[in-house]
Amino acid sequence: MSDLNAVPKAISGPSTFLDDRLGGANFLKRNLRKIFPDHWSFLLGEIALYSFIILLLTGTFLTLWFKPSMGEVVYDGSYAPLKGVMMSEAYASSLEISFDVRGGLLMRQMHHWAALLFVAGMTVHMLRVFFTGAYRKPRELNWIIGVLLLTLALAEGLTGYSLPDDLLSGAGLRITEGVAISLPLVGTYITFFLFGGEYPGGDVVARFYSLHILLIPGILLALVSAHMVLMWVQKHTQMPGKGRTNKNVVGAPFYPAFMAKAGAYFLFTLGVVSGLATFAQINPIWLFGPYTPADVSAGSQPDWYMGFLEGSLRIMPPWEWNLFGTAHAGTLPMSVIIPALVPMGIIMTGLALYPFLERWVTGDHREHHVADRPRNNPHRTSIGISAMTFYGVLWLLGANDEISANFHVSLNWTTYMGRVLIFVAPALAYLITYRMCLGLQRSDAAVIGHGVESGVIKRLPHGEFIEVHTPPSEDTEAHMRGKEPVPALPVDEDAAGIPPKGMRGPLGKLRGRMSKAYGGEKIPIDDGHHEEHGEHAAIGSGDDRSLTH
């Protein structure tokens, strides 16, 4: 009778062969049993990873038929309304992929939807990491890689968006040229390098194509690999809870639990992208026609991730600086330079520097493997929501013409309101978020101190009605008790009135004030019960009458 636990020879034979020559058995055994935390938010980054894989596969398919040339041809394809029209080879080949290549339109639309999901997945993943403090030591380097990945993804989207050479992408390309040429000193050189001469030139599609399929994807692939290796070596952070510490990881092993989950999640992502590509039309280039510099299609909008640049350009006042008081010495078009560089610079530079600025303010050099609940660091959460509001206002104002047309509001007034909201909305978002975080902390303290509302109404001997509270579940209580005070620097003066070392001088005093405001315990966890109902609320028996909601 055969041993049911024996490894089949078809598996054991090749495995033994490879192990004898490569010695990988111990390595695989150790890594296949690596523990991954079991929390839904940790799968957000997987969306970006799987979208990137879909992008590579569909992009490879599209390169087989796309012709990255701006040479003019007369269209003679299947789309009758454009027959006999002069257009670039790039646009003609895009039409051929859409109408004449079997499965071409599906691949084009899958590629476009996957690109949108790729940037969205990275953005949501980065927000999860930021709000939970998962960027702290020892993960600062991985955070910087993530910021670079997001920046390169925007550049990859821009270059890919421009390749079909249709009227809509051409309008975006015209904005890109205007931004590039406005840069002081280097603007004309960058423009001539990209376009191969005066706009529109004859080389921009070919050069963007090289950037889009070779240079940027190569860097992205290298950074994604480095990001995954660092994550594997440093292990995942985990949410606070029962038995979870900085010394362990509570969850399921990579094989088979996480591998099965990841495989199913990839198929689910692929199914969503395929469904969107099948049933939701996106970027119908045949409706826009070939690009001509003299035309702009009505209601032109970029993809969502570039909407903030469009909005910043639309609400910026028409400022120009003439050097030395004369236009002949040089003009700086601040109405283009500021929108092009400042919003992106604030967001990306702020993201890259935040782990180091927070460590400087708090003086916290410890390793962190347990994530924070966003409510437990109210200033960090408020800063994040404020930045999201700043981005959101710019993104919304990128469609101020559509808002004006559909809601019958003056276009000028939408612009004026945008100029006010870009400063007021982030400040309001900060204040509101901070108060909400404190309120949620008080709610947690109430649950720990008084229990959870049971829905049972009880009448006390003296006639008063109260609601019976029950202790929270063990897991819920452990989750709430995972809260730690935000670290802060010692700023108090000693007996001689001398501030601590590092807290002296203008910069030291500023650092001390920032640390005192940012750090510390805002709402302590309260273990006690209120005296008036504590004992009674914990009692649920006796001859008193009880009512259930």
Side-chain angles (χ1 to χ4, degrees):
M1 186 174 180
S2 62
D3 184 4
L4 295 178
N5 294 321
V7 179
K9 189 174 181 180
I11 297 176
S12 63
S15 299
T16 303
F17 177 86
L18 292 174
D19 184 46
D20 290 342
R21 288 154 182 81
L22 302 177
N26 291 331
F27 173 81
L28 289 174
K29 182 179 179 180
R30 182 176 67 254
N31 285 279
L32 288 176
R33 301 303 296 173
K34 183 179 178 64
I35 303 299
F36 279 73
D38 188 16
H39 193 272
W40 65 268
S41 66
F42 295 107
L43 292 174
L44 293 173
E46 307 294 321
I47 298 175
L49 177 62
Y50 302 149
S51 300
F52 184 59
I53 294 172
I54 296 171
L55 280 170
L56 293 178
L57 295 175
T58 55
T60 302
F61 178 92
L62 295 175
T63 58
L64 300 177
W65 283 276
F66 182 72
K67 297 176 183 177
S69 170
M70 297 182 72
E72 291 193 339
V73 295
V74 177
Y75 181 68
D76 190 31
S78 300
Y79 188 63
L82 290 178
K83 275 186 177 290
V85 175
M86 291 289 292
M87 59 183 63
S88 66
E89 286 189 273
Y91 185 58
S93 64
S94 299
L95 292 175
E96 181 187 3
I97 292 171
S98 301
F99 295 107
D100 300 311
V101 174
R102 187 181 297 275
L105 181 58
L106 178 65
M107 290 294 108
R108 265 198 63 239
Q109 299 212 142
M110 283 184 66
H111 193 72
H112 203 129
W113 278 115
L116 301 184
L117 195 60
F118 178 52
V119 181
M122 275 199 295
T123 303
V124 176
H125 174 61
M126 180 168 281
L127 290 175
R128 197 276 301 175
V129 172
F130 179 84
F131 285 123
T132 61
Y135 53 78
R136 294 172 293 179
K137 184 181 178 180
R139 297 176 181 81
E140 300 97 332
L141 182 58
N142 227 6
W143 173 258
I144 296 295
I145 291 175
V147 174
L148 290 175
L149 281 170
L150 182 59
T151 306
L152 285 172
L154 298 180
E156 177 76 344
L158 175 64
T159 54
Y161 181 82
S162 305
L163 291 182
D165 200 33
D166 60 288
L167 187 58
L168 183 61
S169 68
L173 198 60
R174 182 57 163 166
I175 294 174
T176 304
E177 186 267 345
V179 169
I181 204 169
S182 69
L183 300 176
L185 302 178
V186 298
T188 52
Y189 294 98
I190 293 175
T191 304
F192 273 63
F193 172 75
L194 288 178
F195 293 90
E198 290 282 355
Y199 182 84
D203 299 326
V204 64
V205 169
R207 295 183 181 184
F208 270 28
Y209 183 71
S210 299
L211 293 173
H212 185 71
I213 72 163
L214 292 176
L215 181 61
I216 300 178
I219 299 174
L220 281 173
L221 191 58
L223 289 176
V224 167
S225 301
H227 192 74
M228 299 296 292
V229 169
L230 281 174
M231 181 275 296
W232 192 276
V233 171
Q234 295 171 344
K235 73 186 180 182
H236 258 299
T237 56
Q238 57 186 341
M239 297 302 291
K242 183 180 178 181
R244 298 184 176 107
T245 69
N246 280 314
K247 304 293 186 181
N248 67 358
V249 179
V250 178
F254 176 73
Y255 177 83
F258 188 82
M259 188 177 289
K261 185 189 298 183
Y265 203 42
F266 171 73
L267 294 176
F268 179 78
T269 306
L270 178 62
V272 169
V273 172
S274 302
L276 286 170
T278 303
F279 299 108
Q281 178 176 271
I282 189 170
N283 198 22
I285 57 172
W286 53 90
L287 298 181
F288 307 135
Y291 176 62
T292 56
D295 297 328
V296 176
S297 56
S300 297
Q301 303 292 333
D303 282 331
W304 73 267
Y305 50 83
M306 296 303 292
F308 76 97
L309 176 59
E310 181 84 6
S312 61
L313 286 167
R314 293 190 183 201
I315 67 174
M316 182 67 191
W319 293 349
E320 288 186 353
W321 291 355
N322 293 321
L323 300 181
F324 308 108
T326 171
H328 296 288
T331 299
L332 294 180
M334 305 308 293
S335 56
V336 179
I337 294 175
I338 291 177
L341 301 182
V342 173
M344 186 79 165
I346 290 175
I347 294 173
M348 293 303 179
T349 306
L351 286 172
L353 295 180
Y354 195 86
F356 309 100
L357 292 174
E358 184 181 68
R359 188 171 61 191
W360 181 75
V361 169
T362 62
D364 184 13
H365 294 270
R366 301 171 299 164
E367 286 195 4
H368 293 272
H369 301 292
V370 177
D372 288 338
R373 299 175 74 199
R375 67 186 67 182
N376 292 337
N377 194 319
H379 281 293
R380 178 206 294 149
T381 302
S382 301
I383 290 170
I385 296 297
S386 183
M388 289 174 62
T389 306
F390 174 78
Y391 174 90
V393 170
L394 292 178
W395 177 82
L396 186 65
L397 268 296
N400 66 342
D401 54 341
E402 297 288 344
I403 294 171
S404 176
N406 287 282
F407 292 95
H408 307 289
V409 181
S410 167
L411 181 62
N412 289 335
W413 275 108
T414 61
T415 304
Y416 299 148
M417 287 301 298
R419 292 173 183 172
V420 174
L421 287 174
I422 197 62
F423 297 103
V424 174
L428 285 175
Y430 188 99
L431 294 174
I432 293 170
T433 304
Y434 186 79
R435 301 308 304 177
M436 288 177 65
C437 288
L438 295 186
L440 290 170
Q441 287 190 42
R442 291 190 182 95
S443 176
D444 289 345
V447 169
I448 294 295
H450 314 303
V452 181
E453 297 175 351
S454 66
V456 176
I457 304 300
K458 183 178 181 180
R459 183 179 180 183
L460 300 181
H462 59 275
E464 181 184 2
F465 287 91
I466 65 167
E467 182 175 12
V468 177
H469 285 64
T470 59
S473 68
E474 196 174 356
D475 289 338
T476 300
E477 183 171 358
H479 187 57
M480 293 179 177
R481 288 191 180 278
K483 174 186 178 184
E484 293 183 354
V486 181
L489 293 166
V491 297
D492 295 331
E493 299 176 349
D494 60 16
I498 300 175
K501 186 178 180 180
M503 298 294 106
R504 304 162 194 170
L507 184 60
K509 292 178 180 177
L510 173 63
R511 184 186 182 192
R513 286 194 294 269
M514 292 174 66
S515 183
K516 191 172 183 179
Y518 189 89
E521 183 65 274
K522 309 302 180 186
I523 308 293
I525 292 290
D526 182 14
D527 288 340
H529 293 260
H530 284 310
E531 295 180 1
E532 50 183 319
H533 298 317
E535 294 182 273
H536 301 296
I539 300 173
S541 60
D543 296 330
D544 303 314
R545 301 175 183 175
S546 297
L547 302 174
T548 304
H549 287 312

